[in-house]
Amino acid sequence: MCMEIRVKCRCGAAEAAFNLRDNIMPPEVVSELYCPECSKEANYDSSTMLRDRDWVIEYDMELARFMAVSKLGVDPERVTPEFLFDEGYATWKETYPGELAEIEAEKEKIVALLKEDPKRYFEELRAWAQRRVERLKALGWRKARRM
């Protein structure tokens, strides 16, 4: 079971939803979030931060290591920002922040086909999903590259 948290960025202009896999990490493990605007001012430290396109997530690595060792029995050297994000222990709820809102508009056009031509609807939906993943990979979204 995952816990969902919402975190406002440092400048307060944006918010992102995170999933915390299996409730291993507490919400405080995401110590700071920088949106594309405020990330320009962030002093990036790869030992505590992860960059996903123009967003930067800062983790409390001391807390993360403690929780990973005590709950998972993981070697503390393995616990990095990449481990937390890529293994789902503290990662975007979506492929990227704001994805669900963006796909609604894209899907509306395809959903209209359902009543007219169900077979074409499924074909279009499948093709749209494949194109979308390829586009997100090309844009460099970290979770898309793992799909």
Side-chain angles (χ1 to χ4, degrees), residues 7-16 33-38 55 97:
V7 180
K8 276 212 172 274
C9 70
R10 185 171 196 131
C11 72
E15 182 178 71
L33 177 65
Y34 300 87
C35 72
E37 282 305 308
C38 57
W55 290 78

Side-chain angles (χ1 to χ4, degrees), residues 16 20-21 36 40 42 46 50 63 76 90 93 104 129 137 146:
L20 304 176
R21 177 179 159 195
K40 297 171 187 170
S46 62
L50 180 127
L63 176 60
K93 175 184 176 188
E104 287 304 314
K137 285 179 182 180
R146 295 177 58 105

Side-chain angles (χ1 to χ4, degrees), residues 1-5 18-24 88-89 91:
M1 178 122 177
C2 291
M3 178 191 315
E4 180 184 327
I5 62 169
F18 285 82
N19 272 342
L20 304 176
R21 177 179 159 195
D22 300 330
N23 296 328
I24 301 294
Y89 291 108
T91 192

Side-chain angles (χ1 to χ4, degrees), residues 44-58:
Y44 188 79
D45 177 357
S46 62
S47 70
T48 61
M49 298 171 146
L50 180 127
R51 183 179 306 278
D52 192 19
R53 287 213 32 168
D54 298 332
W55 290 78
V56 174
I57 306 163
E58 185 171 3

Side-chain angles (χ1 to χ4, degrees), residues 25 60-72 76 79:
M25 298 293 158
D60 180 334
M61 293 308 298
E62 189 174 320
L63 176 60
R65 286 188 181 99
F66 174 79
M67 298 306 288
V69 169
S70 64
K71 290 190 171 187
L72 298 171
V79 184

